[in-house]
């Protein structure tokens, strides 16, 4: 099987894994990269929305003056951007326009962070049925069934969600990495089921879905002690810890956006800048890059 193109967002640009010469945005932190319709959207330096080709070449298209942006979600002709103070923006020409509807979302006054700072929009995803899912840290998962015109709470905010990912193959199905383990919905967010039994630790920071499995990173807590990657069948079942080719324990949490999957291919990146690739849905893994400077995200093209 031909190896897919893997992009790594680092402290020093967006890099094509395996090609030391292919770097765009050198000198800039690339915090998330999202392929969509032959293009690549990214967040750089916590302030800039970046747009480019799937091979990594691109340019900045909008910058926020106040606050921070964390994540981007392309939606056909629309692009949503999530940021600090639980803000949600839409990219309009070269401006980021804050969503008044999201500012009015139910439960907002209860959102928080454990350290007392303002909450963030940490991750976003769109389901095959069209639902938009927005993960607030700490504020649970918000859902819009009307393209962002209104929002509903879907989960106990104290579950401490770190990433939400919709299943591209199953309408109404989405997965969330939480401090209570993996959370799954099959009814578009009306209800969630938590799966913790079988994990050595329930603190989960990243989630991804392949053709047949959901992948989750788990550790004993926010300090990342004893971090590992597990897989579980999409339709439910028992966890299996991924070990063949992976370290006994990662040195820290495999973070949000550092675990990605498409079809039978899965990639995971550790805090030390090592990237692991599986071509058989997590049964075996190989090192495909090491020593990357400050790894923040991966993307499969």
């Amino acid at each position: 099987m031909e190896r897919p193109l893997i992009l790594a967002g680092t402290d020093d640009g967006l890099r094509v894994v395996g090609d030391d010469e292919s770097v765009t945005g050198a000198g800039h932190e690339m915090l998330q990269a999202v392929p969509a319709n032959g293009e690549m959207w990214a967040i750089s330096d916590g302030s800039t929305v970046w747009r480019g080709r799937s091979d990594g070449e691109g340019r900045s298209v909008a910058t926020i003056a106040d606050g921070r942006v964390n994540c981007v979600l392309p939606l056909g002709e629309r692009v949503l951007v999530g940021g600090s103070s639980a803000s949600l923006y839409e990219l309009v020409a070269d401006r980021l326009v804050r969503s008044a509807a999201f500012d009015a979302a139910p439960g907002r006054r209860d959102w928080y962070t454990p350290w007392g700072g303002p909450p963030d929009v940490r991750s976003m995803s769109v389901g095959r049925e069209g639902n938009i899912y927005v993960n607030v840290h700490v504020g649970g998962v918000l859902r819009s069934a009307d393209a962002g015109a209104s929002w509903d709470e879907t989960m106990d905010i104290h579950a401490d969600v770190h990433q939400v990912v919709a299943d591209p193959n199953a309408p109404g199905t989405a997965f969330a990495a939480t401090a209570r383990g993996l959370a799954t919905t099959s009814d578009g967010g009306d209800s969630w089921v938590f799966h913790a039994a079988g994990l050595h630790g329930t603190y989960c920071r990243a989630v991804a879905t392949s053709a047949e499995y959901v992948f989750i990173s788990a550790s004993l807590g926010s300090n990342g002690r004893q971090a590992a990657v597990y897989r579980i069948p999409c339709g439910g079942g028992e966890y299996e810890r991924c070990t063949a080719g992976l370290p006994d324990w990662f040195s820290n949490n495999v973070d949000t956006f550092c675990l990605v999957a498409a079809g039978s291919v899965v990639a995971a990146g550790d805090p030390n800048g090592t990237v692991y690739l599986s071509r058989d849905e997590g049964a075996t893994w190989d090192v495909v890059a090491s020593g990357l400077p400050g790894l923040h995200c991966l993307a499969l093209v």
Side-chain angles (χ1 to χ4, degrees):
M1 178 190 302
E2 183 179 352
R3 197 181 86 183
L5 185 68
I6 309 171
L7 298 182
T10 74
D11 281 344
D12 188 21
L14 189 64
R15 298 163 175 260
V16 177
V17 170
D19 184 353
D20 294 337
E21 303 300 319
S22 184
V23 181
T24 189
H28 296 276
E29 288 183 321
M30 291 293 186
L31 303 178
Q32 188 196 16
V34 181
N37 300 320
E39 291 187 307
M40 183 66 62
W41 292 86
I43 298 293
S44 71
D45 299 323
S47 62
T48 301
V49 180
W50 179 96
R51 182 181 189 178
R53 303 198 311 262
S54 58
D55 62 4
E57 293 297 325
R59 61 181 180 84
S60 63
V61 294
T63 299
I64 191 170
D66 298 312
R68 179 180 176 86
V69 288
N70 305 315
C71 52
V72 60
L73 179 64
L75 295 171
E77 298 299 317
R78 303 174 63 206
V79 177
L80 299 184
V81 178
S84 58
S85 298
S87 54
L88 184 66
Y89 302 89
E90 183 165 353
L91 181 63
V92 180
D94 59 351
R95 296 183 304 117
L96 292 172
V97 178
R98 186 157 176 162
S99 168
F102 196 76
D103 283 344
R108 170 176 280 272
R109 66 181 181 179
D110 297 322
W111 301 346
Y112 70 100
T113 54
W115 54 90
D120 278 359
V121 170
R122 185 180 176 99
S123 69
M124 302 182 288
S125 190
V126 61
R128 187 170 179 179
E129 75 288 348
N131 282 348
I132 301 171
Y133 301 94
V134 173
N135 153 215
V136 175
H137 185 252
V138 174
V141 174
L142 281 294
R143 173 195 62 198
S144 177
D146 54 13
S150 64
W151 296 88
D152 299 310
E153 298 177 283
T154 72
M155 184 188 293
D156 175 12
I157 66 173
H158 305 297
D160 192 6
V161 181
H162 300 113
Q163 187 176 4
V164 62
V165 171
D167 189 330
N169 302 311
T173 299
F175 309 99
T178 84
R180 300 178 185 173
L182 173 68
T184 301
T185 180
S186 59
D187 55 17
D190 287 341
S191 63
W192 294 83
V193 177
F194 288 81
H195 307 271
L199 297 175
H200 76 284
T202 62
Y203 186 86
C204 298
R205 286 282 277 270
V207 61
T209 177
S210 66
E212 301 292 338
Y213 290 92
V214 182
F215 291 82
I216 197 90
S217 68
S219 74
L220 298 183
S222 59
N223 61 5
R225 188 160 57 93
Q226 292 189 352
V229 170
Y230 290 81
R231 68 178 186 175
I232 187 171
C234 289
E238 296 183 356
Y239 282 110
E240 176 187 358
R241 185 175 160 192
C242 299
T243 57
L246 294 182
D248 290 339
W249 301 108
F250 288 91
S251 62
N252 206 328
N253 285 303
V254 175
D255 212 349
T256 306
F257 306 140
C258 289
L259 182 62
V260 293
S264 62
V265 177
V266 191
D270 75 8
N272 297 322
T274 303
V275 178
Y276 301 86
L277 177 69
S278 173
R279 298 177 177 85
D280 52 15
E281 294 198 89
T284 60
W285 300 76
D286 297 302
V287 174
V288 290
S290 60
L292 294 176
L295 181 67
H296 295 290
C297 68
L298 296 173
L300 295 172
V301 180

